[in-house]
Amino acid sequence: MSDQAELLRKLAKQKQAPVAVAEGTSPCEIVAVTSGKGGVGKSNITLNVSIVLARKGAKVLILDADIGTANIDILVGMGQRMHLGDVFDGKASLFEIIEKIDENLYLVPGASGIAGLNEMPYDKREALRRDLLRIDEAFDYLIIDTSAGINTDILHLMAGSDRVLLICNNEPTAVVDAYALCKTYYQSGAEGVIELIANNVADEAEADEVFEKISSAMGHFLKKELKYLGHVVHDEDVALGVINQKPVMMTSSDGPAVRNFQELADLLYHQGRWEQGKGIQQLFNHLVSE
């Protein structure tokens, strides 16, 4: 039994009937990290930025919603664990599958992703909803590692989040797919701002190039503005961390990518109690909408 699972079970017992947090007042910021194409480093950025946020004192929960290819647990060297699929099958509660990664940092391991949510029996779905509502008060950040590509589940996660971070590198296919995701997102009626993180670039000039390609297409065809958040340069230490199942932010105190991850976390971090989020209830409503 993990120490965090025990902690959250106690929290659950203390709050048997949580009250839904009104939209715009949630203390838990929901951040969706997404990409139009797989293999651009989305999960690595999710994990390493989350590590920095946790070390700043924020309580962070990563939701691995990468349907079919969930891998955050692999990146940190976890063995076989219970996962979201067990929750959807009614074999475990949300609190029972949460695992501790590091101080202040926890993980909901993924499996089949969120595709089974609408198929859950009503009573089990309500139990999951109540568990999710407790996250509003237990954590400062819910960081969602979405699947790559475009599907309804990804669009719902994006629409239900407070911030959407788009990860893209300078490969032509990645740029085209990133734009396609943005186009589909806005055509679905969403209004949120998308923020770009250019990954695996040589320098800031190449990051600007990635941004300009997507931004100009969005401005011309969609009449929408893309926001530039930051970049992560190519760094062999990041790849080594994947091989060794030890994220670079856990093994290195300096280096090009380390500094970039720290800069990104600084931009996302808010001190004190933050009460501007949409809230877990609104995210849940998006996920169960038809």
Side-chain angles (χ1 to χ4, degrees), residues 156-213:
H156 284 166
L157 286 170
M158 293 169 67
S161 298
D162 298 305
R163 300 182 79 160
V164 176
L165 309 184
L166 176 67
I167 313 303
C168 188
N169 59 26
N170 205 15
E171 296 176 11
T173 52
V175 171
V176 170
D177 290 347
Y179 168 73
L181 175 59
C182 295
K183 177 181 177 181
T184 307
Y185 174 70
Y186 286 119
Q187 287 181 339
S188 72
E191 294 293 336
V193 174
I194 296 176
E195 303 175 75
L196 177 74
I197 298 177
N199 191 37
N200 202 31
V201 293
D203 49 30
E204 190 167 359
E206 186 177 12
D208 290 340
E209 184 181 335
V210 176
F211 172 75
E212 181 59 30
K213 289 175 181 177

Side-chain angles (χ1 to χ4, degrees), residues 61-76:
L61 179 63
I62 299 174
L63 170 60
D64 193 345
D66 196 340
I67 299 172
T69 56
N71 61 3
I72 296 289
D73 54 342
I74 297 172
L75 291 175
V76 295

